[in-house]
Amino acid sequence: MAYVKTDDVHYTGIADAIRSLHDGEETYTPREMGEYLSTEGTALKPWNIAKGVTIFGVTGTLSFDNSNWPSDSPVTEDVIDTAVKKYDVRADVNDKFLLMDDKGNITVGYPLKEIVTNMAFYNGHKLPDIGNANTKFVFRNSSGEYIYYVLEDGCEAYSYFMWSDQYKEYRLTRNQDKAIQWARYKLNSSGEWALDDRSNYFGSSLVFVGDVEIIWIGSDIYAEDNTVLHPAGAYTYEREENDLFTITDYDPISTEFCARCWLRAAYHTTGEYAGQVTIDDFVSTASGGYNYICNIRYCSRDALYYEGEIIWQR
């Protein structure tokens, strides 16, 4: 290491340079000069740094409502979401984080996921995603088997479900002179729905004994007096996903980070692309930095991690 010899003249010159940073008249010892340059001299103020982030010994106190899109954003959330969804349908617009610099330029990151399953559920029961929702129903018989029927050839316009007190059975029947065609599926031991039977004739009705359990039904079941006995159900999709988004590098001083498996949408307030949204794809390769955790103004997640450690938390 090289050594630099100095004297009081040099110290005075350095001190004068430091004083020029803030037009002050303070005097400094050599140690105080270093402290000033690492804190005050760098313009690092607690109120300009995100709360909880420490840079060169200065811990930020700036706090935002990170659970909502910032009101001072130069562009609406919908504009960014629409551009990203058009670019890549895999993007989940409900999962994102927004960074905003002091010039108002914003970057929105969309983590990408691998969809493992995308199955319909109703009342905790897995349902097959086959056919039109208004033309199918699922029940469980007395043997514990799950049976799934799909009506075919537009039969929903000519049939209805009814419970018969006289015969103690559910009956799917026609209300006009048109036959009912159907396909029947069963849930096998592997959890898959397999075709079990299909009508090869134009039958007039389907009858189920009264001890079957209605799991899901696409249209109302009526009692014999035409009152609704069981209203039609509605199912929801439950997706099982693997989160592929990974922060690959992080500088705890500047809070700069790199990451892979995400889409980065930038809205430009200045420059060649002012007023436009540009999108960078970091699916196969990691981003090269120039994004900073301390600039987060909104995040749908409770925390972001680097090598298992929390580097941002709401």
Side-chain angles (χ1 to χ4, degrees), residues 88-101:
D88 194 327
V89 296
R90 295 172 299 171
D92 179 1
V93 295
N94 295 312
D95 184 16
K96 56 181 175 280
F97 54 89
L98 177 147
L99 316 171
M100 183 184 295
D101 64 21

Side-chain angles (χ1 to χ4, degrees), residues 21-314:
L21 292 173
H22 57 83
D23 298 322
E25 298 180 357
E26 289 83 352
T27 59
Y28 300 97
T29 66
R31 180 175 181 176
E32 289 171 338
M33 294 179 190
E35 291 177 349
Y36 180 86
L37 289 173
S38 66
T39 57
E40 302 295 333
T42 60
L44 294 176
K45 308 293 185 182
W47 52 87
N48 287 330
I49 302 174
K51 185 176 180 180
V53 174
T54 299
I55 304 177
F56 288 116
V58 181
T59 300
T61 59
L62 180 61
S63 178
F64 299 106
D65 177 11
N66 293 309
S67 60
N68 292 289
W69 190 269
S71 59
D72 58 344
S73 169
V75 65
T76 65
E77 183 176 8
D78 184 63
V79 167
I80 302 293
D81 286 347
T82 300
V84 170
K85 201 69 175 179
K86 184 178 180 180
Y87 179 86
D88 194 327
V89 296
R90 295 172 299 171
D92 179 1
V93 295
N94 295 312
D95 184 16
K96 56 181 175 280
F97 54 89
L98 177 147
L99 316 171
M100 183 184 295
D101 64 21
D102 57 4
K103 296 180 181 179
N105 292 301
I106 71 169
T107 293
V108 186
Y110 293 81
L112 294 177
K113 306 177 186 67
E114 177 186 26
I115 306 301
V116 181
T117 61
N118 191 10
M119 183 62 67
F121 281 79
Y122 177 71
N123 282 354
H125 297 282
K126 184 168 64 173
L127 304 178
D129 187 21
I130 309 171
N132 184 293
N134 295 322
T135 66
K136 60 186 180 182
F137 58 95
V138 181
F139 69 90
R140 182 166 55 190
N141 63 21
S142 58
S143 299
E145 296 178 303
Y146 287 89
I147 312 296
Y148 165 58
Y149 280 88
V150 180
L151 305 183
E152 299 182 327
D153 292 343
C155 294
E156 74 278 2
Y158 299 92
S159 57
Y160 62 97
F161 288 95
M162 177 173 287
W163 168 257
S164 170
D165 282 321
Q166 179 180 359
Y167 299 104
K168 304 300 180 186
E169 65 185 17
Y170 292 101
R171 183 181 295 270
L172 176 62
T173 188
R174 60 186 181 185
N175 58 10
Q176 293 189 32
D177 189 20
K178 184 174 178 67
I180 299 172
Q181 290 181 284
W182 49 265
R184 183 174 68 208
Y185 296 78
K186 285 188 177 181
L187 190 64
N188 61 30
S189 58
S190 300
E192 300 173 341
W193 291 91
L195 182 64
D196 179 64
D197 195 10
R198 186 187 298 274
S199 64
N200 54 9
Y201 62 94
F202 288 98
S204 60
S205 66
L206 288 172
V207 177
F208 313 106
V209 294
D211 60 353
V212 300
E213 177 190 359
I214 299 294
I215 301 300
W216 181 86
I217 192 96
S219 58
D220 294 340
I221 296 179
Y222 293 89
E224 289 183 301
D225 62 1
N226 289 325
T227 60
V228 176
L229 185 64
H230 297 289
Y235 60 83
T236 59
Y237 278 99
E238 296 182 12
R239 303 198 307 178
E240 182 181 343
E241 303 171 330
N242 285 337
D243 192 0
L244 301 177
F245 174 71
T246 304
I247 294 177
T248 57
D249 194 26
Y250 173 67
D251 184 342
I253 295 178
S254 66
T255 74
E256 184 179 22
F257 70 93
C258 304
R260 60 179 172 81
C261 293
W262 64 305
L263 299 177
R264 184 179 66 189
Y267 179 80
H268 305 265
T269 58
T270 59
E272 178 184 359
Y273 298 102
Q276 300 180 45
V277 177
T278 59
I279 299 174
D280 295 304
D281 186 326
F282 300 112
V283 176
S284 56
T285 59
S287 55
Y290 303 103
N291 296 290
Y292 302 87
I293 292 293
C294 63
N295 284 337
I296 289 183
R297 293 287 305 276
Y298 164 80
C299 185
S300 61
R301 301 186 175 196
D302 292 329
L304 296 176
Y305 299 84
Y306 172 63
E307 295 185 343
E309 299 292 331
I310 294 177
I311 60 174
W312 181 88
Q313 190 170 16
R314 181 176 297 158

